[in-house]
């Protein structure tokens, strides 16, 4: 369920703070990406739901948005591929005439200790988690600069801040996203485009399903709020950074992790 209740004012009116905004959410066929797409659509944005493989999942995201009277369409693209990412952004701009919000959410894992990690697993994770943000942002910035408005939100992870054993590839990609975001934030600030990062902690999704129970239990012990996060809680942070209230915030990292990492 989207955080529509959080977008309601005291008078119970739904806050359509994204009315007339166009958003692209990469990797929105399930999990956190789906929650972000639903949240932005609940605020009135027209959302382009991207996926690479899971066509049924992406269709379900679009269906959920439309049944809540939101606006959404779907576009298949492997965003780790430069031309496909470019086609995704071009589609959004051609279809809607503008692009206001880009959420680089698509991500994957190939966990293994470094001694056993194949080179291919390093390359895939860096390509999907980091290069895709370059691919999409490069195309999006062009459209945003024309309008002198834009919000880019990149989904990193606490693993990119604190590091996780067995995740040198994933942690490097997520740390890379933070450096990328800060550099880009400085580049595009004169054009009124902001670039920020949301760093979730542990959120049960398909991505974390396969983690052994002892690792899940250990992660719980390290969370001051004593529970895992919900996709909707990550989506709420993204909506804040994508919204008007965050117009003076750029180059920042917002942890949504129950207090797991405090810096
Ligand atoms: P998820 O349920 O596995 O969803 C990942 C999404 O990324 C799917 O929609 C998948 O779509 C898409 N995707 C993967 N490769 C893609 C590609 N090359 N091109 C386009 N889409 C692609 O994972 P999640 O937990 O929601 O994770 C979402 C983001 O949050 C990721 O960046 C992840 O690293 C980050 N994160 C998650 C957690 C957590 O605890 N869950 C914590 C910190 C950060 P297809 O299947 O259609 O390819």
């Amino acid at each position: 369920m989207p955080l529509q209740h959080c977008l309601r004012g005291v008078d119970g009116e739904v806050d359509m703070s994204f009315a007339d905004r166009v958003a692209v959410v990469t990797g929105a066929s399930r999990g956190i990406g789906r929650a972000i797409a639903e949240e932005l659509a609940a605020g009135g944005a027209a959302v382009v739901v991207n996926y690479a493989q899971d066509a049924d999942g992406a269709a379900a995201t679009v269906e959920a948005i439309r049944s809540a009277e939101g606006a959404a369409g779907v576009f298949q693209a492997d965003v780790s591929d430069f031309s496909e990412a470019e086609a995704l952004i071009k589609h959004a701009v051609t279809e809607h005439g503008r692009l206001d919000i880009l959420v680089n959410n698509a991500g994957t894992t190939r966990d293994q200790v470094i001694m056993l990690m194949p080179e291919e697993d390093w390359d895939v994770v860096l390509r999907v988690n980091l290069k895709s943000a370059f691919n999409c942002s490069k195309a999006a910035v062009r459209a945003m600069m024309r309008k002198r408005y834009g919000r880019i939100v990149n989904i990193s992870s606490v693993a990119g801040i604190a590091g996780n054993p067995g995740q040198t590839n994933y942690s490097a990609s997520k740390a890379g996203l933070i450096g990328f975001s800060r550099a880009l934030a400085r580049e595009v600030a004169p054009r009124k485009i902001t670039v920020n990062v949301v760093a979730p902690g542990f959120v049960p999704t398909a991505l974390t399903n396969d983690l052994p129970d002892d690792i899940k239990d250990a992660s719980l012990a390290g969370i001051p709020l004593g529970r895992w996060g919900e996709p909707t809680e990550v989506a709420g942070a993204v909506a804040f950074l994508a919204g008007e209230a965050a117009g003076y915030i750029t180059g920042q990292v917002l942890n949504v992790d129950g207090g797991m990492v405090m810096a």
Side-chain angles (χ1 to χ4, degrees), residues 189-203:
R191 301 300 181 101
K192 300 186 171 37
I193 301 167
T194 66
V195 186
N196 289 291
V197 175
V198 170
F202 193 97
V203 180

Side-chain angles (χ1 to χ4, degrees), residues 247-263:
Y248 199 53
I249 300 175
T250 197
Q252 303 304 310
V253 181
L254 178 52
N255 289 17
V256 182
D257 63 357
M260 198 193 286
V261 173
M262 298 188 193

Side-chain angles (χ1 to χ4, degrees), residues 10-11 17 19-20 31 50 71 76 106 120 135 140 153 185 191 204 218 222 224 228 263:
V10 280
D11 54 2
S17 45
D20 300 326
N50 160 254
Q76 191 278 335
E120 169 67 7
N135 292 343
V153 183
R191 301 300 181 101
W228 294 317

